[in-house]
Amino acid sequence: PPPPPQASASASQTQSAQEPSYCERAFNFFPIRTFCFIGGVALVALSVMDFMFNHDDLLQWVLRVYRLCFGIAIMVVEAPIWKLTRSLQLGTFFWCRFMSRMWGRAWFYFFVTVLCLAEFDRENVGTFTVIAGFYLLFAALFSFLFSKLAASKLTRICAFVAGETDGDAMNERMSVKYDELAANGYLGKVGSVEIVKLAKQAGRLLSNAERHAIQAFLDESCNGYVSKKDFSKQLLRLKMQNLRFL
């Protein structure tokens, strides 16, 4: 006998994710957040070493203090998530919105890179700081790349959730999908596990970096989880503005 209508409709909505190639799996495994966290640690450590071993003029000293503070900020936003670091990250994301976006952090790392490479203009070059600058340049480039990939996959997820609907019908589909995800989520909330599950339903596999970028984008209120209001609001924003980076 044919399956019940609801089961058939549910099966038609879920698309199997294509098996990634070895190169894609290796690329997805790349720990971009750990890479950036190490960059923050290196910036702090190497700036301290330049303080110790270089005789700075006043401008170099002031710039080095700024770079030291920026290194601490990078460590905070890219640190592994646990109770203390999560509260610091959410506070940073709320008061400094561009840091909650991967493209925003990429531009920040590029700015810090420029400050580090400015040592080349000084008579007494801070060699250690320059090394940190080149490292952060790669962190910025990788962040831009993963931001682009995350936006592309979230666009596919949005199309999957919305289907061919528009207006009130699209809002209803988003509401239903959120309720479906939240019903199986921890404490009835949508978090990282539910986002990965939704991506698989849309036929996309997420790396940890892409999942983090998507979750931060959807969590507009910086709650630490995706609320129903933010879920619909941010998907609509993505659809209307055709965002290319997250």
Side-chain angles (χ1 to χ4, degrees):
Q6 290 184 349
S8 177
S10 176
S12 65
Q13 287 183 349
T14 303
Q15 302 180 11
S16 59
Q18 295 180 351
E19 186 67 22
S21 65
Y22 175 81
C23 292
E24 289 174 324
R25 289 198 300 269
F27 183 76
N28 287 339
F29 181 75
F30 181 72
I32 178 62
R33 296 193 65 225
T34 302
F35 185 83
C36 294
F37 177 78
I38 293 173
V41 174
L43 182 59
V44 171
L46 296 178
S47 294
V48 171
M49 291 178 68
D50 273 333
F51 270 126
M52 295 171 58
F53 298 111
N54 280 344
H55 300 288
D56 305 324
D57 58 33
L58 179 60
L59 179 58
Q60 280 182 300
W61 190 89
V62 171
L63 288 177
R64 198 152 291 144
V65 170
Y66 274 107
R67 289 191 291 259
L68 190 63
C69 295
F70 291 155
I72 295 173
I74 293 172
M75 292 168 59
V76 168
V77 298
E78 301 289 9
I81 296 176
W82 53 291
K83 188 173 182 179
L84 176 60
T85 58
R86 189 56 174 161
S87 60
L88 290 174
Q89 288 170 358
L90 291 175
T92 303
F93 294 161
F94 183 82
W95 293 106
C96 194
R97 289 288 178 167
F98 76 93
M99 291 293 280
S100 68
R101 304 287 184 260
M102 186 171 280
W103 64 262
R105 296 195 297 277
W107 278 115
F108 178 68
Y109 301 152
F110 184 75
F111 171 72
V112 177
T113 296
V114 173
L115 290 184
C116 291
L117 299 185
E119 289 281 353
F120 279 126
D121 287 338
R122 314 308 299 176
E123 181 177 348
N124 184 28
V125 177
T127 306
F128 297 115
T129 303
V130 170
I131 294 173
F134 280 114
Y135 185 98
L136 288 173
L137 177 61
F138 284 102
L141 295 176
F142 283 131
S143 294
F144 276 123
L145 178 59
F146 276 100
S147 174
K148 173 65 175 176
L149 293 174
S152 176
K153 291 185 178 181
L154 184 57
T155 299
R156 177 67 193 96
I157 293 172
C158 182
F160 164 75
V161 173
E164 298 180 357
T165 60
D166 202 355
D168 292 339
M170 181 172 62
N171 290 332
E172 179 64 23
R173 283 178 63 97
M174 291 180 179
S175 178
V176 170
K177 176 55 69 176
Y178 181 90
D179 291 338
E180 175 191 321
L181 295 171
N184 299 318
Y186 179 68
L187 298 178
K189 299 174 181 177
V190 172
S192 58
V193 175
E194 291 71 41
I195 290 173
V196 172
K197 179 181 178 181
L198 177 60
K200 287 183 178 179
Q201 292 176 356
R204 296 295 183 270
L205 297 176
L206 299 179
S207 66
N208 187 55
E210 292 165 342
R211 189 275 311 161
H212 184 271
I214 290 174
Q215 183 174 351
F217 174 78
L218 294 177
D219 183 18
E220 176 69 9
S221 300
C222 299
N223 296 312
Y225 60 89
V226 182
S227 67
K228 189 172 187 177
K229 177 181 178 181
D230 286 343
F231 183 78
S232 298
K233 174 185 174 182
Q234 292 298 91
L235 287 183
L236 285 172
R237 178 185 174 192
L238 180 77
K239 188 176 179 67
M240 297 299 295
Q241 298 182 6
N242 193 25
L243 301 178
R244 298 183 182 276
F245 295 89
L246 293 187

